[in-house]
Amino acid sequence: MSELLSRTHAVALDAADPLRTLRSEFVFPQHNHRDQTYFVGNSLGLQPRGARAAVQDVMDKWASLAVEGHFTGDTQWLRYHRLVSEQLARVVGALPSEVVAMNTLSVNLHLMMVSFYRPSRERPAILIEAGAFPTDRHAVESQIRFHSFDPATDLIEVQPDEPNGTISLQAIERAITEHGPRLALVLWPGVQYRSGQVFDLDAITRMARLQGARVGFDLAHSVGNISLQLHDIAPDFAVWCHYKYLNAGPGAVAGCFVHERHHRDTSLPRFAGWWGHEEATRFKMAPQFVPAVGAEGWQLSNPPVLGLAPLRAALDVVDKAGGIAALREKSLRLTGLLDALVRARLTGVLEILTPSEPDRRGCQLSLRVVGGRERGRSLFEYLQTVGVLGDWREPDVIRISPTPLYNRYQDLHHFVDEVDAWAGL
Ligand SMILES: *Cc1c(COP(=O)(O)O)cnc(C)c1O
């Protein structure tokens, strides 16, 4: 075995890792009085230590100031959503005016489709990936029905065409070209949740816009994971959640992007609420809706301050790391090492389903256990008993997502050693 795949080398990589101190910014679940080896940042990121203080700060202000908290200090609640705009904009490569933290992902997806899915008889269809995350499929199917069109003909799903269930860019291009004149919207993920595949969002956006379709992204598995340049790639909208790689806590307030070119377009239909009204005249309480310029114009309600507080702490940790570029750099090495270790030591036990090209994957590797579902479940359960946490996706996939904020190179050895031990049992 190559020296590069030794535990000693991993320990040396950890010692030299410029992000190594960030691990202490997080609270780890304990297993036998030791930190769990946690590989589930793709599902629910760990708690940043600053989150509790951020929530406590709101609680204290509520206790001491009550309604005055809306207007008092740098963190006044009236503008609380804006406290995260600049940091969020950096995370997704957007202008601050293009992003807003509000609602949850599925809600934002519907709100965006109200504005950007405008089917006509000639152009009624939505194109998505086959095997999309259920909420995305439910959302598009129900929107198609809501407009009295028929999902049987107007929901187009691009089938995987590669051996491990991934989708080539050529297959996406063929589908967009074939259905082009009928496409009202192309909705695509940045990272596929099951396979871990990263898509070329720039190419997909260009193909879709060439056909006259609107483009939206679901970035649930992308934010905090891969580099995004939303302003330049220029989809019409994007939505994401903050509880996966961004560590803002269970059910955290989600994110939404609306490209600048739509900011002053008052002809776009939208479901309006008072918080989307322009700030200067909001409290005149007049009956006419005047939308705020920018993504904030799609807000409905006053900001859920307690829900937003942990997001501030989570984004501060990303800044401490030096931003997404620094995280991605470590992530490429971490996941690259996991890939190499699995190939060198676990052939015949685990198959890697995620693409092997570094630019076609993020943190996550999706691993199929050789021997079928029962063996897979047995391995998954064994790993839990030894303090290694991944997650399970039916029928036979274990997802392992080393995250650059708090995973170490030596964690990968813990995983591989334990799989090896289980296989020898
Ligand atoms: C996690 C995830 C969601 C979650 O939706 P919520 O509205 O936050 O419950 C949606 N879509 C994708 C692709 C996801 O990975």
Side-chain angles (χ1 to χ4, degrees), residues 192-268:
Q192 216 285 341
Y193 79 100
R194 191 187 295 272
S195 68
Q197 178 182 5
V198 169
F199 291 101
D200 184 342
L201 295 178
D202 192 23
I204 292 168
T205 303
R206 277 188 275 114
M207 294 169 195
R209 292 188 68 190
L210 197 64
Q211 297 292 338
R214 298 278 207 203
V215 185
F217 299 150
D218 182 330
L219 302 177
H221 282 261
S222 314
V223 286
N225 180 5
I226 58 171
S227 299
L228 295 163
Q229 298 301 333
L230 290 185
H231 178 77
D232 292 343
I233 290 178
D236 295 282
F237 71 86
V239 295
W240 60 90
C241 52
H242 289 129
Y243 48 81
K244 293 173 179 167
Y245 293 103
L246 277 181
N247 314 304
V253 178
C256 188
F257 164 94
V258 179
H259 194 270
E260 190 183 26
R261 67 182 176 278
H262 299 302
H263 287 187
R264 291 173 191 279
D265 182 356
T266 49
S267 72
L268 279 173

Side-chain angles (χ1 to χ4, degrees), residues 146-169:
F146 178 75
H147 288 281
S148 304
F149 290 96
D150 181 1
T153 50
D154 301 330
L155 175 53
I156 298 161
E157 295 172 279
V158 183
Q159 298 295 329
D161 63 327
E162 295 177 336
N164 289 326
T166 50
I167 307 181
S168 69
L169 189 59

Side-chain angles (χ1 to χ4, degrees), residues 104-107 133 135-136 189 191 193 218 220-221 241 243-244:
T104 46
L105 187 157
S106 304
V107 174
F133 195 91
T135 207
D136 301 69
V191 179
Y193 79 100
D218 182 330
H221 282 261
C241 52
Y243 48 81
K244 293 173 179 167

Side-chain angles (χ1 to χ4, degrees), residues 17 26 112 126 146 164 171 214 304 339 351 386 409:
D17 174 10
F26 292 90
M112 289 294 99
I126 302 180
F146 178 75
N164 289 326
R214 298 278 207 203
D339 181 297
E351 265 168 28
V386 295
Y409 294 93

Side-chain angles (χ1 to χ4, degrees), residues 43-84:
S43 183
L44 184 72
L46 292 179
Q47 183 182 121
R49 289 195 184 275
R52 186 181 292 267
V55 172
Q56 189 65 47
D57 190 56
V58 178
M59 295 300 286
D60 291 347
K61 199 163 170 180
W62 179 19
S64 60
L65 295 174
V67 73
E68 294 299 321
H70 283 306
F71 320 106
T72 309
D74 295 342
T75 58
Q76 55 171 291
W77 300 333
L78 279 185
R79 294 188 169 144
Y80 202 86
H81 56 284
R82 213 166 277 164
L83 294 174
V84 295

